[in-house]
Amino acid sequence: ILAEGIAFIFDTTRLIIFSLIIASSLFIKTNHRPQSLLLLGAMGGDALLVAVIKNMDKIARPTNGILFDTGFSYPSGHSAGSLVFCGILAYFAWTHWKGASSRALIGVGVGLIVGVVGFDRLYLNVHWLSDVFGGWLFGAFWLLFAILVFRQLQKAGMFESERFRFIAKLLFVGAVVVSVFVVFLGLFGSFLFI
């Protein structure tokens, strides 16, 4: 039951729902709009790219899983999504807590969560070991890319302009619409394509 609960909570659809809630609360605070867009962009990009890679590779899942999971196997969306989601939240926390012990504790916490999610996918036998490692590698790449782009835009002062404030509202509305669509497909997509 615990393993199924972990699989349920760290499903890409639910992580996007959590991201929407967190990003909405950040967006309401005017000075946290860039962080809101970073979270939505990172999670949305992760979900989209994992889906594209899965459909390009078309690797079958193990057939004797404890839990029945649909879709292709490589890379593990749970592994990639948990790394990106927790990594972005850790990045936010690191910008506020600069102490070495705080940062180490945050890093260990993220490592434990991501490790438990990966182990959970193997325990439920819904992924191969290579799927989990591939998900972690892809998630680490995407997380690093998103944070580097965010920091470059921040360094260039792009978030301070009046133009950004206008564009941020449009991007946020667009991200919410796309996220709701992804969540809808994640929750009801299997019924639509039967």
Side-chain angles (χ1 to χ4, degrees):
I1 294 179
L2 178 62
E4 292 176 9
I6 291 168
F8 179 82
I9 290 170
F10 287 95
D11 179 65
T12 303
T13 302
R14 276 153 206 93
L15 288 178
I16 289 178
I17 292 170
F18 299 149
S19 298
L20 272 171
I21 293 167
I22 295 168
S24 296
S25 67
L26 288 171
F27 197 82
I28 290 169
K29 299 176 182 182
T30 307
N31 56 336
H32 292 297
R33 286 186 176 167
Q35 290 83 357
S36 170
L37 294 174
L38 171 61
L39 178 59
L40 282 180
M43 286 306 298
D46 169 70
L48 176 68
L49 291 172
V50 165
V52 167
I53 294 169
K54 280 180 182 263
N55 284 301
M56 283 176 36
D57 289 340
K58 297 184 178 181
I59 295 174
R61 292 181 182 272
T63 55
N64 58 345
I66 294 172
L67 182 71
F68 177 74
D69 225 344
T70 60
F72 296 113
S73 189
Y74 181 84
S76 167
H78 283 73
S79 298
S82 65
L83 194 143
V84 172
F85 180 75
C86 293
I88 292 291
L89 295 182
Y91 175 73
F92 293 161
W94 280 22
T95 59
H96 293 290
W97 295 303
K98 305 220 185 267
S101 60
S102 298
R103 287 184 169 188
L105 188 61
I106 292 166
V108 167
V110 168
L112 283 173
I113 292 170
V114 170
V116 165
V117 170
F119 175 77
D120 183 69
R121 304 311 289 160
L122 296 172
Y123 173 78
L124 292 171
N125 203 27
V126 292
H127 280 291
W128 307 103
L129 182 60
S130 59
D131 303 337
V132 172
F133 281 125
W136 285 338
L137 286 173
F138 172 75
F141 167 77
W142 184 249
L143 174 66
L144 183 62
F145 175 78
I147 290 173
L148 287 175
V149 168
F150 177 80
R151 291 185 66 170
Q152 283 301 113
L153 292 172
Q154 194 174 38
K155 203 178 285 187
M158 300 296 275
F159 301 139
E160 308 304 321
S161 69
E162 189 62 39
R163 184 176 179 197
F164 170 75
R165 290 184 188 102
F166 174 73
I167 292 172
K169 291 176 185 173
L170 292 176
L171 286 173
F172 184 76
V173 169
V176 168
V177 168
V178 169
S179 297
V180 167
F181 179 71
V182 168
V183 167
F184 178 78
L185 280 180
L187 294 177
F188 302 109
S190 59
F191 295 115
L192 296 175
F193 301 111
I194 292 178

